[in-house]
Amino acid sequence: MATVDIPKQYKAAVYDEPGKISTKIETLDTPEPGPGEVLINITHSGVCHSDMDVMENAGQVGGHEGVGVVVKMGPATERAVVKVGQRVGVKWVAGNCGNCPPCLEGYDALCRSVKISGYYT
């Protein structure tokens, strides 16, 4: 597989005025994937109704669901089912406890320990 050139910075639409539907383009540092994580070059992203709550946080990057290509694997991903170069989708819920009543009933988005992609991850 060819080596992927990962830029040190990227451009993002960032909510800039809490309480308003307002964004600006900012240049941010490209993060390093942590243990069990992968870095994805997002090619398509959408903003949905749940973003309305997050727009209150100035500096928050917009959108939390997307499609892209895996460009780097973090530590402890040797057994991951995804590999560099694969096209992947990013769903709203990035993680949950799996043990609470909402999780056990299939309502993972209601978990008290839920991690939302792009917001709390």
Side-chain angles (χ1 to χ4, degrees), residues 93-98 100 103 108-116 120:
V93 174
N96 56 44
C97 76
C100 68
C103 284
D108 59 350
L110 300 178
C111 175
R112 291 186 182 161
S113 300
V114 71
K115 292 183 179 180
I116 305 300
Y120 308 113

Side-chain angles (χ1 to χ4, degrees), residues 1 4 14 29 35 38 41 49 55 61 65 71 73 81 89 93 97-98 103 113 116 121:
M1 163 127 339
V4 178
V14 176
D29 291 334
V38 298
N41 178 4
H49 189 268
M55 285 182 181
V61 175
E65 297 172 334
V71 294
M73 307 292 288
V81 296
V93 174
C97 76
C103 284
S113 300
I116 305 300
T121 59

